[in-house]
Amino acid sequence: MWAGLKISSSKTGKMWLKLFLLLLYFLILFILARFFETIVWYETGIFASQLLDPVTLSFHQLKTILECRGLGYSGLPEKRDVRELVERSGDLMEGELYSALKEEEALEAGSSTNFSGEMHFYELVEDTKDGIWLVQVIANDRSPLVSRVHWEKMVKKVTKFGIRAGTFNCSSDPRYCRKRGWMRSTLIMSVPQTSTSKGKVMLKEYSGRKIETEHIFKWITAHAASRIKTIYNSEHLRQEWNKSDQYKVKLYLFANLDQPPAFFSALSVKFTGRVEFIFVSVGNWDNTSYMEEIGITRTPSYILQTPEGIYKYGNNTGEYVSLRAMDSFLRTLQPEVNDLFVLSLVLVNLMAWMDLFITQGATIKRFVVLISTLGAYNSLLIISWLPVLGFLQLPYLDSFYEYSLKLLRYSNTTTLASWVRADWMFYSSHPALFLGTYLGHGLLIDYFEKKRRRNNNADEVNANNLEWLSSLWDWYTSYLFHPIASFHHFPNNSDWDEDQELFLERLAFPDLWLHPLIPSDYIKNLPTWQFQCHSHYAEEDLSESSLESDSDSETEQRNGVTCSSRPLNHTGCCTVKPSSECTGQICSCVDTESQGSPCGKEDGSYGSSCTMDSLEPNWSMWPENMLHCTECVVCLENFENGSLLMGLPCGHVFHQNCIVMWLVGGRHCCPVCRWASYKKKHSTHQSPLSSQTPS
C-alpha cells in the first residue's frame, strides 16, 4: 500500500511539474514578444500600436486595408476617396497594416462545398442557423452564373469574414430545384433572420445584372448589415443607450458610413445571443450633444457598453479594426462554453506533450508514455467537463455565471490582457515560431532532466530500444492472449484504491480496466534467502587464526570474560557451548552484561537489524546479480536479522511476504523499475553499494 501511495504521489508531482513547465513556457513567449517589439522599435522607431497617417500609404496598401475591413471601393477610382473611406471606418495602426499585408500574401483559395442533394443542403445551410452561406445554384443544362475564375475570387474574398461558400448542381436533385423555383442559374445567400441564437434563416437571391466580384460582395454586405440595429438620430440613441434588456454587452459603432463594415456584420452573426451590435450613422446629425454627454468626442469610435461601464476599443495594444482582432477581444469578454472547452483542451494537450521530454530512456518508450498520457489526460478532461455542463444547466447557478462573466470583463479589459491577446495573434500568425520555441523549450527540459538522472539511474537513461520494446511486447501479449478475469473474481483491494490515476491509464488500453490472468508459477522459482548479520570482531579473529593455525586453542581475557575457541552459528554469533561441527572459525565474545550480544540481543536470537557499529550484513550469503540494500520499498521497513528475502530478475530485493503479496495481486512487475517479474534480465555490472529507490 505504501508503495502504491508513493507511486501515486510521484505521478501527481509529475503532473504539477508539467503544469509549471507549461506556465514557464508561456512566460518565455511573453518575454520573447516584448523582445521582438524592442527590436522593431530600435530598427524602425515605431511600435505596432502606433497610429498611421493614411496619407503616407500607397494605393495598394489602402485597398488592402479596405479588403480586410470589408468595405467596397469599386466606385472610388481616386486615391483620395479611398483614403477618406479608410479614415471614416476607423483608426489605422501599424500592426493592422502589417497583419493585412501578411494575410494577403499567405491567403489561399477558400474551400467550396459541393451539395449532393436536398438533405445535404438542409443540414448545412438551413438547419445550422449560426453563419452566413453563399451558394451558387447551377440549373440543369445551364452554365453557372459566375465563371470559375470569378467564383474562386469570390470564395477567397468572403472566406476572410467567416462566410462559407458552396455549389448546388440541380442535376443531382432536379426535384428540389423545381420545388425551390431554381429554373435558372443564380446565387443564393442565407442569413440568420433574428438576433437570437438558432433563429430562422432567410434565403436571398441575387437579382443584380453585373456579375462582378465587387458588386456581389456589396450585395452580400448589404444583406448582412440589415440584421444589425441602426440608429439615425440622437433621440433614438438616448433610448437605446438607457434601455435595459437581455443583452448585458453592447458594441456600438459611431461612424459616417452608409453601412457598417463587413467584419462588423460577420461578428454580429458569430456572437448572436451574446453581444448586441449597433451601428450609429452620424453622417447627417445636426445635434451631437448627447454623444458628448456619454463620452463620444470623435468618430469613428467603437464603444463597448457593459454593466461595469464603457470601454473604448482601440486604445490598447493589439486592438485593431479587423475581424480577427475584434473576435479575440469579444471572446475573452463574453466567452461561451465551447470556447472554454477548446482552451482547456489545448492547454491539457500541451501539458501532456511535455511528457515526451521529461521521460528518459528509449525513444519508443517516450512515445508510448506520451500516448498513454494523452489518453489519460483527455479522458480526465472529458470526465471533468461532464458535471460542469450539468451544473451550468441548473437555474440556481445563474448568479454564479453572471459573477464569473463580470470577473472576466474586469480582467480582460486591462493592459496586460491586451498584451496577451496581441501575443496570441502574433504567434498564431507565425506557427513555425510557436512550434520552434516549444521544441526548444522541450529540448532544454530533456537536457536538464537527463543530467539530473544520469547519476541516479544510468540504466534508465541508456536504455536500449529493442530491449524495452521486447518487454513492452511481452506485456501486451500477456493482455492480448491470456483470458480476462471476470467480475466475480475481481480483487477487492484493487490498484485503484491506491492510485486513482491508474483508472484513467487503463482506459487508454484495449483491456479497459480488467486485469489479465498471468500464471504465477514463476514466483516459487524466484531466489529466496535469509538476511544475516555478522560481527567485525569475527572477521578480525578469523584472520588472526589463519596466521596461528599450528595452535589448537587459545584463551583470551577480555572485559572480565574468558572466551575460548567457539564456532560461529549461522547468524554470525558465537554459540553458548562449543560445537562438534566447528569449522575452525574463531568467535570473539564480549561481555553481554555491558555491551550486549553481538546480534543486538542478549541471547543472540533473530529479529534485530544490523544497526550497531560492530555489525554489518553478510553479503556473501546473497545470490549473484542482486542489488545490496537494507530496506524493503514495499513496506518501508529495514531488513532484520533472519528475515526471509526474495529477489526479482531485475536485481531488486524485498521481504518475501511483501513481494509475494504484490505479485499475487496482479502486478507482475518490479515496484521499483517496473521490469516484468516473470522475464529474465541480462546481467549487468552492479555496484555492491548501490541501493534501490522507488521510481
Side-chain angles (χ1 to χ4, degrees), residues 626-679:
M626 290 295 158
L627 295 173
H628 295 173
C629 61
T630 59
E631 182 186 17
C632 175
V633 299
V634 178
C635 64
L636 303 180
E637 296 291 341
N638 291 328
F639 296 145
E640 295 183 349
N641 189 45
S643 299
L644 194 60
L645 308 182
M646 178 177 284
L648 296 182
C650 57
H652 293 109
V653 181
F654 314 90
H655 284 125
Q656 194 239 11
N657 292 335
C658 297
I659 193 61
V660 167
M661 292 180 62
W662 172 277
L663 298 176
V664 171
R667 295 160 289 196
H668 298 276
C669 62
C670 176
V672 178
C673 65
R674 298 302 179 184
W675 182 267
S677 56
Y678 51 86
K679 181 186 176 183

Side-chain angles (χ1 to χ4, degrees), residues 372-399:
S372 174
T373 304
L374 287 173
Y377 281 19
N378 285 278
S379 301
L380 179 63
L381 177 66
I382 295 174
I383 293 174
S384 302
W385 266 100
L386 291 178
V388 173
L389 295 177
F391 284 134
L392 290 178
Q393 304 299 325
L394 298 177
Y396 307 102
L397 294 179
D398 290 342
S399 58

Side-chain angles (χ1 to χ4, degrees), residues 189-426:
M189 178 184 175
S190 71
V191 183
Q193 188 174 1
T194 62
S195 298
T196 59
S197 180
K198 300 296 183 181
K200 295 182 179 180
V201 173
M202 59 179 178
L203 298 179
K204 295 290 184 179
E205 184 177 352
Y206 182 67
S207 58
R209 296 183 178 181
K210 295 183 179 181
I211 313 301
E212 297 178 358
T213 304
E214 289 297 326
H215 288 83
I216 295 176
F217 185 73
K218 189 174 182 180
W219 169 72
I220 293 174
T221 55
H223 280 290
S226 62
R227 66 186 310 278
I228 297 178
K229 185 180 296 185
T230 305
I231 296 177
Y232 295 101
N233 53 69
S234 59
E235 186 62 29
H236 189 190
L237 175 62
R238 184 190 300 273
Q239 295 176 1
E240 184 64 36
W241 190 270
N242 298 323
K243 184 172 64 174
S244 176
D245 52 11
Q246 60 175 341
Y247 289 97
K248 302 296 182 180
V249 179
K250 297 180 181 180
L251 184 62
Y252 290 84
L253 169 57
F254 295 84
N256 183 15
L257 296 172
D258 297 333
Q259 65 182 29
F263 84 91
F264 197 77
S265 303
L267 286 174
S268 67
V269 177
K270 184 176 293 187
F271 288 89
T272 298
R274 289 186 283 170
V275 180
E276 184 178 13
F277 290 76
I278 301 174
F279 173 58
V280 183
S281 180
V282 297
N284 299 323
W285 282 29
D286 296 332
N287 185 10
T288 59
S289 59
Y290 186 73
M291 290 178 55
E292 296 176 356
E293 290 180 12
I294 60 178
I296 311 301
T297 58
R298 57 185 297 272
T299 57
S301 294
Y302 292 85
I303 305 299
L304 186 73
Q305 185 186 28
T306 64
E308 295 76 37
I310 298 175
Y311 181 83
K312 294 182 179 180
Y313 178 83
N315 293 336
N316 287 329
T317 305
E319 296 180 354
Y320 311 138
V321 185
S322 64
L323 175 71
R324 192 156 168 264
M326 191 169 289
D327 177 73
S328 62
F329 171 73
L330 294 177
R331 281 185 185 275
T332 56
L333 291 181
Q334 201 76 4
E336 59 181 2
V337 178
N338 186 62
D339 298 332
L340 299 178
F341 174 75
V342 172
L343 177 62
S344 62
L345 183 66
V346 172
L347 294 178
V348 164
N349 282 273
L350 285 176
M351 188 171 65
W353 272 87
M354 288 288 178
D355 232 342
L356 183 65
F357 308 105
I358 295 177
T359 304
Q360 298 298 310
T363 305
I364 301 178
K365 175 186 176 183
R366 293 172 182 257
F367 283 98
V368 170
V369 173
L370 172 63
I371 294 173
S372 174
T373 304
L374 287 173
Y377 281 19
N378 285 278
S379 301
L380 179 63
L381 177 66
I382 295 174
I383 293 174
S384 302
W385 266 100
L386 291 178
V388 173
L389 295 177
F391 284 134
L392 290 178
Q393 304 299 325
L394 298 177
Y396 307 102
L397 294 179
D398 290 342
S399 58
F400 172 76
Y401 183 70
E402 293 298 329
Y403 280 118
S404 300
L405 291 178
K406 186 183 293 290
L407 179 62
L408 284 176
R409 289 192 290 265
Y410 270 121
S411 59
N412 288 302
T413 52
T414 59
T415 304
L416 180 61
S418 65
W419 284 348
V420 173
R421 288 191 296 265
D423 294 346
W424 160 249
M425 290 189 294
F426 173 74

Side-chain angles (χ1 to χ4, degrees), residues 570-599:
H570 65 280
T571 63
C573 304
C574 53
T575 57
V576 179
K577 297 180 180 180
S579 175
S580 59
E581 299 177 358
C582 178
T583 58
Q585 293 177 321
I586 304 301
C587 174
S588 177
C589 299
V590 294
D591 189 357
T592 58
E593 295 181 359
S594 58
Q595 297 183 4
S597 173
C599 290

Side-chain angles (χ1 to χ4, degrees), residues 15-28:
M15 184 180 66
W16 284 108
L17 174 63
K18 286 184 284 189
L19 179 60
F20 169 75
L21 294 175
L22 183 61
L23 295 177
L24 179 63
Y25 171 66
F26 289 147
L27 180 61
I28 293 174

